[in-house]
């Protein structure tokens, strides 16, 4: 079943398993006798040599928790591999490439399984990447930076819009926008997020700060659960308000200067602008026509008499 360009992937992996029939005839022992026609069937689960399967180069997940893989491996040793992984024929023409289920594949290798259950799908590179992203998102396996990087690749490599990504992965458009902003954070902050020492909520709050040096300082203050997202957001809001107050204070003119401006306005009959301080600077006299300029010139000349 083909994957739609937009909208259809919001259902995630459920669509991939529609009408899938678990083949009771195929076992670890007799799978070597499967012919190519059987392997290519998208409606059956097949047991494939684990060495013929390789990871997905478009896998958005960059980090795997080795302890969790070991736990899963132990479960597989005891109960077997219950859920098949999804693979497609490798572009090289040899073997298969994982579309969804790399963690299970890694655990199965650790459990020393020779063959594992697989569903074979014929997918384009674009479909392959989208399904891989969705599978990881539904399992909440991606950290916020990995997720943002996956969205960015969907935009840069496959030219999807944020709206199309939103429809495909079942997330709101603001969610996609805020996620992409994380990629603009300094590397030191991104590293904390990837290491699980700073949450996505903290990172999104910090992304709203413009100063990169301050972003790093805030991340260091908030890492390892040192403060809640709400406290961090309030700290950022308070700092922003304080900066605005200072900015307004520096831009406000001295009342004495304003009074002098008004006096000169009455003298010249036009707008007059002075610097914030009356200590030094220049006087700007506005005119709006050639006649008015000549009038002002004559007024200034008369001051010499």
């Amino acid at each position: 079943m083909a994957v739609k360009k937009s909208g259809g992937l919001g259902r995630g992996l459920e669509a991939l398993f529609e009408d899938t029939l678990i083949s009771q005839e195929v076992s670890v022992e007799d799978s070597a006798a499967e012919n190519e026609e059987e392997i290519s069937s998208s409606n059956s689960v097949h047991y494939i040599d684990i060495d013929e399967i390789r990871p997905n180069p478009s896998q958005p997940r960059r980090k795997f928790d080795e302890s969790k893989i070991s736990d899963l491996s132990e479960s597989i040793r005891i109960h077997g591999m219950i859920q098949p992984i999804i693979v497609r024929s490798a572009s090289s023409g040899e073997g298969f490439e994982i579309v969804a289920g790399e963690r299970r594949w890694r655990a199965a290798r650790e459990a020393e399984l020779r063959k594992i259950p697989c569903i074979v799908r014929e997918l384009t590179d674009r479909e392959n990447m989208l399904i891989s992203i969705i599978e990881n998102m539904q399992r909440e396996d991606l950290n916020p930076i990995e997720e943002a990087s996956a969205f960015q690749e969907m935009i840069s490599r496959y030219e999807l819009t944020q709206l199309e990504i939103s429809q495909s992965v079942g997330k709101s458009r603001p969610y996609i926008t805020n996620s992409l902003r994380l990629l603009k954070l300094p590397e030191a902050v991104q590293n904390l997020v990837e290491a699980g020492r700073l949450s996505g909520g903290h990172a999104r709050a910090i992304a709203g700060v413009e100063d990169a040096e301050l972003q790093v300082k805030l991340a260091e203050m908030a890492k390892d659960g040192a403060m809640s997202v709400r406290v961090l957001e309030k700290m950022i809001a308070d700092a922003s308000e304080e900066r605005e107050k200072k900015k307004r204070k520096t831009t406000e003119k001295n009342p004495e200067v304003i009074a002098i401006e008004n006096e000169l306005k009455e003298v010249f009959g036009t707008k007059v602008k002075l610097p914030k301080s009356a200590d030094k600077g220049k006087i700007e006299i506005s005119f709006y026509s050639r006649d008015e300029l000549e009038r002002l010139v004559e007024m200034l000349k008369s001051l010499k008499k």
Side-chain angles (χ1 to χ4, degrees), residues 56-69:
N56 180 357
S58 296
Q59 163 69 266
R61 191 177 180 189
R62 299 194 290 260
K63 296 182 181 296
F64 290 85
D65 188 322
E66 294 301 327
S67 64
K68 289 183 178 180
I69 288 178

Side-chain angles (χ1 to χ4, degrees), residues 13-27:
L13 294 185
E14 178 186 335
L16 291 177
F17 288 100
E18 272 186 356
D19 302 324
T20 298
L21 303 176
I22 305 296
S23 175
Q24 301 297 331
E25 300 175 349
V26 183
S27 64

Side-chain angles (χ1 to χ4, degrees), residues 197-216:
R197 302 183 65 188
L198 193 70
S199 74
H202 289 92
R204 284 188 287 274
I206 293 171
V209 177
E210 294 183 1
D211 184 83
E213 189 173 330
L214 180 56
Q215 287 178 326
V216 174

Side-chain angles (χ1 to χ4, degrees), residues 137-265:
M137 287 183 66
Q138 289 188 343
R139 296 177 185 278
E140 299 182 350
D141 281 344
L142 298 181
N143 67 56
I145 297 300
E146 289 174 332
E147 185 177 81
S149 298
F151 293 156
Q152 183 56 53
E153 186 166 0
M154 292 166 77
I155 292 171
S156 58
R157 184 174 178 183
Y158 297 105
E159 299 182 345
L160 269 69
T161 65
Q162 289 190 26
L163 178 59
E164 288 175 321
I165 296 173
S166 169
Q167 293 171 337
S168 295
V169 301
K171 297 287 187 180
S172 69
R173 191 169 179 179
Y175 180 94
I176 306 300
T177 301
N178 289 330
S179 179
L180 290 168
R181 290 173 64 197
L182 300 185
L183 299 179
K184 296 181 180 180
L185 289 169
E187 185 178 354
V189 180
Q190 292 191 38
N191 289 341
L192 287 174
V193 178
E194 288 195 286
R197 302 183 65 188
L198 193 70
S199 74
H202 289 92
R204 284 188 287 274
I206 293 171
V209 177
E210 294 183 1
D211 184 83
E213 189 173 330
L214 180 56
Q215 287 178 326
V216 174
K217 288 181 180 178
L218 289 169
E220 287 293 328
M221 293 171 63
K223 70 183 182 183
D224 300 326
M227 67 176 71
S228 68
V229 175
R230 182 170 294 182
V231 170
L232 177 62
E233 288 174 337
K234 188 176 186 309
M235 180 185 293
I236 292 171
D238 290 346
S240 177
E241 185 178 348
E242 188 62 32
R243 284 195 302 272
E244 284 299 316
K245 285 181 180 179
K246 288 181 180 179
K247 186 177 179 182
R248 286 195 298 269
K249 190 173 181 179
T250 56
T251 56
E252 288 176 357
K253 284 187 177 179
N254 188 311
E256 181 186 358
V257 172
I258 296 174
I260 296 172
E261 281 183 343
N262 290 332
E263 287 182 17
L264 291 175
K265 179 180 179 181

Side-chain angles (χ1 to χ4, degrees), residues 45-83:
V45 170
H46 304 276
Y47 284 79
I48 299 175
D49 191 315
I50 200 167
D51 291 330
E52 292 184 16
I53 303 168
R54 65 172 184 242
N56 180 357
S58 296
Q59 163 69 266
R61 191 177 180 189
R62 299 194 290 260
K63 296 182 181 296
F64 290 85
D65 188 322
E66 294 301 327
S67 64
K68 289 183 178 180
I69 288 178
S70 293
D71 290 343
L72 180 57
S73 175
E74 184 62 27
S75 175
I76 288 174
R77 286 191 183 98
I78 298 171
H79 305 290
M81 192 165 171
I82 299 171
Q83 185 177 359

